[in-house]
Amino acid sequence: MHISFDNTYARLPDTFFAPIEPTPVSSPVMIRLNRDLATELGIDAAQLDSPEGLAVLSGNQRPDGSEPLAMAYSGHQFGGFSPQLGDGRAILLGEVIGKDGIRYDIQLKGSGPTPFSRRGDGRSALGPVLREFIVSEAMAALGVPTTRALAAVASGDKVFREGAVPGGVFTRVAQSHIRIGTFQWFAARQDHDNLKVLADYVIARHYPEAQQEENPYCALLDKVIEQQAGLVAHWMQLGFIHGVMNTDNMTVSGETIDFGPCAFMDVYHPAKRFSSIDREGRYAFSNQGPIALWNLTRFAETLLPLLNDDLEKAVAEAEAALDRFSGIHQSSLQNRFAAKIGIEECSTSDWNLVETLLAAMADGEADFTLVFRHLSDALESGDDQTVTRLFNRPETIATWLKAWRGRLHDVDRSEALALMRRSNPVFIPRNHRIEEAIKAGNEGDFAPFHRLNEVLQHPFTSQPEHAEYELAPAPDEVVQATFCGT
Ligand code: AMP
Ligand code: MG
């Protein structure tokens, strides 16, 4: 099995990671291989699809050039700091340069214990493997920066969660797995030398343009803030709730990571949350912007020793950078939501229009994705019935529709429609469909999993033969809670 590894993380000082071999599994079976992604990574998809490839993707065989390791990191989980997290069930095989010239990590998840496993078994249940495959690939197809799914493998072993369940190994691809928590690892240990090594590494790998700035570390902070502010707005445009925005689950590259308890909303509500452990709604839909800023504040704190030798000046620099978050996030959010109703640049009155619609949706218990999709249809056909039917109280939306049509009066209709069509997906990975795929998968039937993945590869394209995947859940199909994917 040939993969052209070029491992830079393994060259970093040994406090950054622990070398560790994956632990073999008993009888691996390939469930799904992302051949397109393999090709983009310059890996021969046919080879990866062979028994040898399967041995690599299940952790049973170390490919040439791989220097497997578990990365060290800390993190704030639900606001409380854990100095010692790290890859407890993930092992970085190595890095490759993709055809796009970008360096990518290839990581196994569920491949056995590491020195960071604490009391965990280092394994993954098959359910979360399938979930991450579906959602991360759907996010990529939706255009959201995200880690990717290269492969899902059934291990043939049982793992013990709430009872015995089938195990799996997931292969994750990311521009890097460096998190805010990675910076916190060194900050918590007051290891300023290695903090600088890490910051320089991140700048070289993700933000090389920062090297030209007067203060590259200020530039790094600015870039990460900008990426995260935009990323969270992008999530929200699609009704996505990450669900576990701990600082160890926020990459510095700006890619979405960790699909444990995430969910796309069906019915819109700003306070919507799914994660069974997020009792106070810390990571609820409309709290995601403020929480991203909270996390970025923790990031800025780690950088203080690098920002300036004078602590007071460093704090001032950090505060100035953090103050820019809200402006970037809000304008991105406003433009993304305005686009959903066919408006290119969001003025104050346009934002009022959006907010009135969202309030009517929350009040009328309307399905987030269907409302915007049917608004496009309404603009095209002039018929408001399908959209109106989505609201419990149709009169609230009638007034809004009139105001909206008035706003679009002078706008080129085909342009508005094109903007709406590319801002409003037809298909999202609905929770009940994910659960359906997982349930069948746990019983050995992967057909629903494959079908769902295929539909979601073209989320903005109407696929009449798969129209049932557009539908909101029936009352008895509604998923009320999600659980962390351990
Ligand atoms: P997560 O909830 O996925 O963000 O994980 C938080 C921390 O728990 C990370 O350090 C993980 O590596 C660790 N962890 C989660 N599940 C397991 C497991 N089954 N075995 C060992 N460590 C785990
Ligand atoms: Mg995590």
Side-chain angles (χ1 to χ4, degrees):
M1 178 77 235
H2 183 75
I3 299 175
S4 301
F5 284 112
D6 175 36
N7 308 323
T8 56
Y9 212 79
R11 304 276 108 76
L12 291 171
D14 54 15
T15 39
F16 279 68
F17 58 85
I20 182 79
E21 297 285 334
T23 309
V25 299
S26 60
S27 45
V29 176
M30 180 74 77
I31 299 168
R32 193 171 179 88
L33 175 68
N34 190 340
R35 288 174 153 261
D36 291 346
L37 181 59
T39 307
E40 285 167 37
L41 294 172
I43 304 172
D44 181 354
Q47 228 186 33
L48 216 47
D49 215 0
S50 69
E52 219 190 330
L54 178 61
V56 167
L57 296 171
S58 58
N60 286 5
Q61 190 186 311
R62 186 213 283 210
D64 291 344
S66 165
E67 294 165 275
L69 60 87
M71 293 167 72
Y73 55 84
S74 310
H76 275 91
Q77 301 179 304
F78 290 90
F81 186 63
S82 303
Q84 178 92 14
L85 290 173
D87 287 334
R89 56 163 162 180
I91 294 176
L92 178 66
L93 291 182
E95 301 152 33
V96 297
I97 311 283
K99 292 210 165 131
D100 54 7
I102 296 175
R103 176 178 298 276
Y104 291 95
D105 280 3
I106 301 181
Q107 189 197 58
L108 299 182
K109 248 180 109 176
S111 50
T114 76
F116 303 106
S117 295
R118 292 166 290 158
R119 284 185 301 277
D121 59 2
R123 292 299 183 190
S124 181
L126 185 59
V129 168
L130 301 182
R131 167 183 273 277
E132 178 157 355
F133 200 115
I134 295 164
V135 185
S136 64
E137 284 307 296
M139 291 293 263
L142 287 161
V144 183
T146 178
T147 62
R148 301 290 305 270
L150 182 60
V153 167
S155 64
D157 298 318
K158 293 277 182 222
V159 298
F160 297 89
R161 297 296 181 256
E162 264 134 47
V165 288
V169 181
F170 180 77
T171 309
R172 180 160 69 184
V173 173
Q175 292 197 17
S176 88
H177 286 87
I178 301 169
R179 309 133 193 273
I180 290 181
T182 318
F183 282 79
Q184 290 181 296
W185 172 270
F186 295 106
R189 286 160 182 77
Q190 307 243 336
D191 184 350
H192 296 172
D193 292 342
N194 281 318
L195 189 76
K196 183 173 180 304
V197 173
L198 177 63
D200 289 337
Y201 179 86
V202 169
I203 289 172
R205 184 161 174 181
H206 297 300
Y207 304 106
E209 64 282 13
Q211 283 161 342
Q212 267 69 61
E213 301 292 326
E214 199 183 306
N215 185 334
Y217 307 110
C218 281
L220 169 64
L221 178 57
D222 276 334
K223 302 272 180 201
V224 175
I225 288 172
E226 200 182 305
Q227 291 302 312
Q228 289 292 339
L231 177 69
V232 173
H234 207 162
W235 291 349
M236 293 175 75
Q237 182 192 34
L238 301 165
F240 178 78
I241 302 169
H242 182 284
V244 62
M245 291 174 68
N246 295 332
T247 57
D248 54 306
N249 292 333
M250 261 177 97
T251 60
V252 294
S253 67
E255 295 170 289
T256 311
I257 194 169
D258 199 317
F259 296 88
C262 69
F264 284 78
M265 280 191 282
D266 296 303
V267 167
Y268 172 75
H269 197 283
K272 188 71 196 163
R273 64 180 170 90
F274 286 92
S275 172
S276 57
I277 57 170
D278 187 11
R279 294 215 173 76
E280 280 160 29
R282 178 180 172 90
Y283 301 138
F285 179 74
S286 59
N287 215 26
Q288 298 185 106
I291 279 295
L293 176 58
W294 192 92
N295 289 341
L296 290 161
T297 307
R298 306 289 81 75
F299 179 54
E301 285 165 1
T302 70
L303 292 180
L304 289 176
L306 302 178
L307 294 178
N308 203 304
D309 291 334
D310 178 333
L311 182 63
E312 230 169 274
K313 285 188 185 143
V315 169
E317 306 257 25
E319 280 176 349
L322 291 164
D323 281 347
R324 288 190 280 274
F325 174 87
S326 291
I328 304 169
H329 176 63
Q330 273 305 318
S331 75
S332 176
L333 192 68
Q334 295 189 3
N335 285 330
R336 285 191 174 279
F337 271 86
K340 290 176 83 67
I341 59 169
I343 297 166
E344 187 90 54
E345 288 274 318
C346 189
S347 69
T348 309
S349 62
D350 293 332
W351 183 238
N352 285 338
L353 196 62
V354 168
E355 288 197 305
T356 314
L357 173 61
L358 292 174
M361 285 164 62
D363 183 53
E365 296 180 28
D367 184 89
F368 184 83
T369 305
L370 287 179
V371 164
F372 290 105
R373 162 131 170 86
H374 290 321
L375 273 180
S376 326
D377 297 339
L379 185 65
E380 194 162 30
S381 67
D383 180 357
D384 291 344
Q385 267 192 30
T386 42
V387 67
T388 306
R389 263 203 300 268
L390 297 168
F391 291 76
N392 278 350
R393 272 178 289 279
E395 60 286 358
T396 52
I397 191 62
T399 324
W400 185 87
L401 283 165
K402 207 180 259 173
W404 174 57
R405 287 188 188 284
R407 170 62 180 85
L408 289 186
H409 189 73
D410 297 326
V411 175
D412 181 295
R413 220 178 61 163
S414 64
E415 272 177 30
L417 201 55
L419 179 61
M420 288 177 77
R421 294 266 186 236
R422 64 173 186 269
S423 309
N424 298 313
V426 180
F427 299 102
I428 51 156
R430 290 194 183 262
N431 302 310
H432 66 296
R433 291 294 181 184
I434 298 172
E435 304 249 316
E436 173 187 63
I438 291 174
K439 188 165 177 288
N442 277 335
E443 291 159 6
D445 172 13
F446 296 101
F449 169 72
H450 291 306
R451 213 177 311 129
L452 185 54
N453 275 297
E454 272 139 39
V455 170
L456 291 168
Q457 267 167 34
H458 307 285
F460 294 102
T461 312
S462 173
Q463 303 169 45
E465 69 282 21
H466 296 303
E468 72 273 21
Y469 286 90
E470 290 180 37
L471 301 178
D476 65 334
E477 294 173 329
V478 174
V479 174
Q480 305 290 0
T482 53
F483 301 89
C484 261
T486 47

